[in-house]
Every structure is written in C-alpha cells, then in structure tokens.
Amino acid sequence: MLYNMSFLTLNMKIGYCRISTADQNLSLQKDALEKAGCEKIFEDVISGAKSKRPGLNRVIEYSRKGDSIVVWRLDRLGRSLKDLISIVGKFDRKGVELSSLHESIDTKTSSGKLYFHMFAALAEFEKNIISERTKAGLDAARSRGRLGGRPKLLSKAKRKHAVDLYNSKEKSIKEICEIMNVSKPTLYKYIDEFNK
C-alpha cells in the first residue's frame, strides 16, 4: 500500500550559537542547544556587532518553513534591538520560528510572539529614555559652561609636546606613549589635533 506523504512536513530545531572571541568557549551554548533537541547547530566566533556573520547566514539559508531556530540567549543572535528585530523579521518572512532558552521565548505560540514584541518594545523604550536623559544631562552641563565628553589626559602644552616629539622623529611612537603615559590611539588623536 502506498501512502501520500506530501502533506507531512518535517519541522526541525536548528541551533545557533555565537561567541565574540576565540578565547571564549561554545560548549555551554552547544550543550544547552543539544539538550533542547537541536538536530543541527551553526556557530560563529565573531562579535555580534559585525553585520557579516557566516554562521547566522547559513542558519537563515538552511532553515525551511515550519523550522524553529533555537538560541541560548537573545544577545547571541543580535547585539542591538534593531539588529535582533531585523533578524527575527527574516525568520518570520520564511515562516521560521524563534526560540530563546534563557528568556523562555518561543514565537511558535501567540503568547511567545507577544512576549517577544513586548520585550523588544520595552528595550526600545529603555534605550530612548537613556538617550533622552543623557541629552538632558549634557544640555544642563553645557548651560553651566561644562563641555561634554571625557576630560583630556594631558594639558594642551603636554599634548603639544607629545606631537613635537612625534614630528621630530627622534623617538618611536612606543617611546612617546611610554614617556607621556598615553595609548597609541590617544597619541594619534593628539597628532590629528595639532597637525591639521
């Protein structure tokens, strides 16, 4: 007897894990994803701030309608709220669900979708509040005559002296940094400041 199997869909749990540096370890995330029943796991060893993540791109390409992408925590998927919402939008357009083990979010359910969107909205609200407070604080400080930003490590005369040492070519950059007790990026800022 032959059965028509075309109506069956084999939905799959696909894991995605990410660490920022090779010094970190993927084992904790992988173990949790395997325990959650993920049949295939993709990984990235790259900062979440990077827009090109090969492992995440493979997850998106590999997944099919009805599949569920499982992550250990939402911050493994996206570093910013905007990034996270964009990625989940890609999943949604493919008919793929998202499940986050740490936050107990599963967009397969109505309550999971609601929870994700509430979580996203609250995070966006919090970001806006922080931005408004920072702007208000800077405006108040400016009205009292104080400029924002970190104070300079060196006085103007010492910054000029560091640049003069650099321009004279008598000392290496490393030596100048040690003498002035500043980092290379800071020294380069001083050079830009005076050599415009």
Side-chain angles (χ1 to χ4, degrees):
M1 179 184 274
L2 294 173
Y3 293 97
N4 181 359
M5 303 294 278
S6 61
F7 66 90
L8 291 176
T9 55
L10 300 173
N11 296 343
M12 187 176 195
K13 282 188 174 181
I14 304 164
Y16 173 72
C17 52
R18 180 185 61 78
I19 52 175
S20 299
T21 66
D23 295 342
Q24 297 173 329
N25 193 323
L26 285 165
S27 299
L28 173 70
Q29 293 178 55
K30 281 178 146 177
D31 291 348
L33 294 173
E34 286 170 6
K35 189 175 176 184
C38 292
E39 300 165 55
K40 189 149 181 75
I41 298 174
F42 293 87
E43 58 191 60
D44 274 322
V45 179
I46 193 166
S47 168
K50 302 283 183 195
S51 59
K52 292 186 180 178
R53 287 177 267 168
L56 180 59
N57 291 338
R58 286 195 302 274
V59 167
I60 294 168
E61 289 170 20
Y62 185 84
S63 61
R64 300 290 173 254
K65 184 173 183 174
D67 287 347
S68 183
I69 309 287
V70 183
V71 293
W72 181 58
R73 282 180 20 178
L74 287 176
D75 67 354
R76 300 297 85 203
L77 186 60
R79 209 51 176 294
S80 69
L81 177 64
K82 184 179 177 183
D83 185 36
L84 188 60
I85 289 173
S86 170
I87 293 166
V88 173
K90 288 176 187 174
F91 292 166
D92 198 38
R93 285 188 291 281
K94 284 191 80 168
V96 174
E97 305 298 337
L98 170 68
S99 178
S100 173
L101 302 176
H102 191 265
E103 289 89 359
S104 299
I105 293 175
D106 187 350
T107 61
K108 232 177 234 177
T109 66
S110 299
S111 59
K113 282 183 182 175
L114 175 65
Y115 185 63
F116 173 78
H117 287 289
M118 285 174 55
F119 175 82
L122 287 171
E124 183 69 29
F125 177 72
E126 181 183 24
K127 188 177 111 182
N128 290 339
I129 292 289
I130 290 168
S131 176
E132 287 173 11
R133 284 184 186 152
T134 302
K135 186 179 179 310
L138 288 171
D139 288 345
R142 278 189 206 104
S143 71
R144 290 190 302 275
R146 183 176 179 274
L147 298 175
R150 289 161 108 182
K152 302 275 188 204
L153 291 175
L154 302 177
S155 68
K156 188 169 184 173
K158 286 183 180 177
R159 294 196 311 270
K160 174 106 174 67
H161 178 62
V163 174
D164 290 342
L165 285 172
Y166 172 80
N167 289 335
S168 74
K169 308 272 191 245
E170 292 175 18
K171 303 269 185 206
S172 71
I173 289 177
K174 185 178 178 187
E175 289 173 319
I176 298 168
C177 290
E178 287 173 0
I179 292 167
M180 304 308 289
N181 197 25
V182 295
S183 67
K184 285 182 186 178
T186 300
L187 176 61
Y188 289 131
K189 283 180 191 171
Y190 297 159
I191 292 166
D192 287 345
E193 178 187 356
F194 286 95
N195 286 344
K196 285 180 181 176

